[in-house]
Amino acid sequence: MATVLITGCSSGFGKLAALHFARKGDTVYASMRNTEKGAELEQARDEEKLKIELLQLDVTDEASVKKAVAHVIDAAGQIDVLVNNAGIGAHGPIEETEDDEAKEIFETNFFGALRVIRAALPHMREKKTGVIVNVSSLAGRVGPPFDGIYSASKFALEAVSEALNYEVHPFGIRVALIEPGGFETNIGSTRRIPRGYGEGSPYLALDQRFEEALTKLPGRDEESDPQTVAEAIYNAVHDEEPKLRYLVGKDAEMIGGLRKQLDDEQFEQTIRQALDFWD
Ligand code: NAP
């Protein structure tokens, strides 16, 4: 059974992944910024006799990352699986996003994952084993309008994951990217909006039209259960024919599939047509 460290376990995919790995028998270090948000995990641990330990870890705080990783190594001797799940959403036009606002997104979604990877890798290399799962997004494959900064942070995570997979392979370590489409979690309600974006913006009507058009996409109206993503993370770790990228959800499979098949112009035409978004 594996020792698993997951970031961002206070809600959403992270919480569900912590439960899923633990229910399969793994020892899970469920980390979060504020461990007071871990009550549900603690309750499940006690009721189901799961091996879950809550751990304070803020991915934007180097000291907290180092302390958490050192604790897992002290307690378990190794990290077999690292899931970089912590992330924040962002929505708004690129022109109206200031540098500090863009940097906040990168600080969590990109540098946050890098920090935890750097802290865990020496131990994985020493043991000559390990799987690093980075939770990216369909937006790490395509750049949707009004999600440009979020998408950029996930593209950056994808680039680093691809390169890292080559670099660590000789040490018995592999990297996997999980690319979910849209799932109902807290990310929609906590996503960052540029402070200057609102009434009077030349982009507002276009943004609203695009959001409405998105609901027309096939796959969007189907039930999307975040548990699917938790299971996809687990399955990526145990895949007998491991891949670098895993699209998760009907919308991600459809749009990500088109992105793979079509060239840039064909893809743009297809998406504009599907969304009736020609402006
Ligand atoms: P969520 O419910 O909002 O969960 C995000 C988690 O990240 C929370 O536990 C949050 O903790 C944590 N987090 C944020 N900043 C952190 C920091 N500095 N240090 C440690 N933890 C931090 O949303 P989710 O949908 O499950 O998101 C999980 C991952 O999936 C993210 O990387 C997201 O980009 C990705 N994703 C989501 C979707 C989707 O549709 N839901 C689609 C594609 C990709 P707090 O409670 O402390 O804020």
Side-chain angles (χ1 to χ4, degrees), residues 3 5 35 91 116 155 159 184 189 202 248-249 258:
T3 299
L5 171 61
T35 50
H91 183 87
V116 189
F155 265 68
E184 283 290 324
S189 55
V248 188
L258 281 175

Side-chain angles (χ1 to χ4, degrees), residues 8 17 47 54 56 84 90 98 103 107 119 124-125 139 146-147 152 196 206 228 230-232 234 243:
E47 286 174 4
L54 301 190
Q56 197 281 331
N84 284 303
E98 300 293 339
K103 282 177 183 167
E107 195 51 44
M124 288 184 165
R125 272 194 299 101
F146 307 107
D147 280 345
L206 204 57
T228 317
E231 289 172 18
Y234 182 86
K243 297 194 296 244

Side-chain angles (χ1 to χ4, degrees), residues 47 71 89 94 149 196 276:
E47 286 174 4
H71 174 81
I94 290 164
I149 302 300
D276 188 22

